[in-house]
Amino acid sequence: MNIIELFEELKIDKSNILLFSAEDIIRIEKQVNVEKRINPEIDVNVANNLILALKEYRQELYFIVSNRILYNLFSKKNYSRNNFPSPQREYDSEKIQFFINQFLNDDLVLFFDQHLSQNKFDFINDIFDFKDCFPEDALFQLNKKLNGKLDAILVNLSQNNSQNMSAISYVEYRSFFVLLSYFSSIEMDNKIRSLVNIVSERYNANKLSDFYMTCISSMQGYVAYDHSLTEVLVSNREAVHSNSIESGSSGSSEGISGKTIFFIILALIKILVLFSKCSRH
């Protein structure tokens, strides 16, 4: 349990945090002490940290609890927008970083790890509107693990072992490449170029491969450090999309031609049968 989960457990009024008096905080502190006796899951350090946050970091705490995305992240809930005021447009990202680093960093890193292990990159993308609020160390660890997943793709595709493809199924997820965009760099661009070369070569050898078609389409989600690489990814996706349409049109035309020939032959047979009947009369 973290301080936001405890905040949720105590049902503290989000809207009035900034107006709390010294007496209000004493009342909450007494409430916390009662809850500690009732609920053994409440850690003493977490309880003390919540009181500390209310006393010393009220602005930062208010920013977290009044922000739907961040509150749901740390409380592990899924409240709708109706439960929150309009989000603050202006905030001191360095102060929020410090606050999260002091009280919530372990939970943030755990969130990243859990969703990376399940390849649920879209869940991480959803909270990255507030990337500037996250501690540098947590982002550094995430970047390192994302690079590891990208390296795994390159190794598996280089070996061209179809049995290992299930281990890198996320290469088909656009959300993976969108997440990589937040950490675009010269080094990551070079890895993406290597991936482009491998995938393009395989696709050109077999333009009917759904796997490589999807890979190329998904890679367009990466916004590169080098703008020219972004253009390559966009043009590759457009080429694949165009080839797919042409293949579909070609297949459709062939199907229509086959049906047309079938109906012509059927009509000729009927005419011949009718003609033979007329001849006998």
Side-chain angles (χ1 to χ4, degrees), residues 81-109:
R81 288 183 175 84
N82 297 332
N83 295 85
F84 299 88
S86 299
Q88 292 178 241
R89 300 297 178 186
E90 296 183 6
Y91 54 88
D92 190 327
S93 60
E94 290 187 3
K95 287 185 176 180
I96 305 300
Q97 276 185 39
F98 178 84
F99 181 85
I100 292 176
N101 190 54
Q102 184 167 353
F103 299 112
L104 299 163
N105 194 62
D106 289 345
D107 292 85
L108 180 63
V109 171

Side-chain angles (χ1 to χ4, degrees), residues 2-227:
N2 62 51
I3 64 169
I4 303 301
E5 290 177 289
L6 180 55
F7 183 97
E8 167 75 12
E9 182 78 15
L10 297 173
K11 295 181 169 52
I12 299 172
D13 186 0
K14 301 183 187 72
S15 59
N16 287 325
I17 287 179
L18 298 179
L19 302 176
F20 281 172
S21 64
E23 289 75 18
D24 291 326
I25 294 177
I26 291 172
R27 178 179 52 78
I28 293 172
E29 193 166 4
K30 290 179 179 178
Q31 184 184 356
V32 168
N33 290 330
V34 171
E35 288 293 328
K36 280 194 298 185
R37 289 196 293 270
I38 298 172
N39 186 353
E41 292 184 7
I42 296 178
D43 184 87
V44 174
N45 291 328
V46 172
N48 292 338
N49 282 337
L50 176 59
I51 300 302
L52 177 62
L54 285 166
K55 289 179 178 178
E56 305 292 338
Y57 304 98
R58 209 176 303 177
Q59 288 282 352
E60 292 80 5
L61 177 61
Y62 177 73
F63 179 80
I64 298 291
V65 302
S66 62
N67 184 297
R68 183 182 69 89
I69 292 174
L70 296 178
Y71 189 77
N72 283 342
L73 164 64
F74 293 118
S75 68
K76 301 176 179 65
K77 300 294 183 180
N78 189 26
Y79 289 117
S80 70
R81 288 183 175 84
N82 297 332
N83 295 85
F84 299 88
S86 299
Q88 292 178 241
R89 300 297 178 186
E90 296 183 6
Y91 54 88
D92 190 327
S93 60
E94 290 187 3
K95 287 185 176 180
I96 305 300
Q97 276 185 39
F98 178 84
F99 181 85
I100 292 176
N101 190 54
Q102 184 167 353
F103 299 112
L104 299 163
N105 194 62
D106 289 345
D107 292 85
L108 180 63
V109 171
L110 180 61
F111 175 86
F112 289 154
D113 288 348
Q114 286 178 337
H115 289 91
L116 278 183
S117 66
Q118 298 170 28
N119 295 329
K120 293 181 177 179
F121 310 106
D122 49 343
F123 282 76
I124 302 176
N125 287 327
D126 287 344
I127 69 169
F128 258 50
D129 283 345
F130 297 96
K131 177 176 177 281
D132 61 338
C133 294
F134 300 146
E136 290 184 6
D137 182 62
L139 293 174
F140 175 80
Q141 291 184 50
L142 176 59
N143 185 12
K144 187 176 180 180
K145 290 163 187 171
L146 283 169
N147 268 283
K149 292 183 84 73
L150 185 53
D151 290 339
I153 292 172
L154 291 170
V155 169
N156 275 272
L157 290 181
S158 297
Q159 293 174 347
N160 198 20
N161 186 346
S162 58
Q163 293 181 347
N164 291 335
M165 290 304 180
S166 61
I168 58 165
S169 60
Y170 56 90
V171 72
E172 298 184 81
Y173 300 171
R174 188 177 187 276
S175 57
F176 173 66
F177 294 100
V178 170
L179 184 55
L180 290 180
S181 298
Y182 289 104
F183 302 97
S184 61
S185 62
I186 294 173
E187 178 189 3
M188 190 170 287
D189 279 10
N190 288 335
K191 291 182 180 182
I192 294 293
R193 284 192 183 92
S194 298
L195 182 58
V196 169
N197 291 338
I198 295 171
V199 172
S200 297
E201 182 181 343
R202 304 273 173 79
Y203 170 74
N204 288 328
N206 179 12
K207 288 187 169 62
L208 296 178
S209 169
D210 289 336
F211 176 77
Y212 291 113
M213 285 172 61
T214 305
C215 287
I216 292 173
S217 295
S218 297
M219 287 168 65
Q220 189 260 329
Y222 179 71
V223 180
Y225 185 83
D226 180 356
H227 183 66

Side-chain angles (χ1 to χ4, degrees), residues 252-265:
S252 176
S253 297
E254 290 174 5
I256 292 170
S257 298
K259 288 179 181 178
T260 303
I261 292 171
F262 173 77
F263 284 120
I264 289 173
I265 293 172

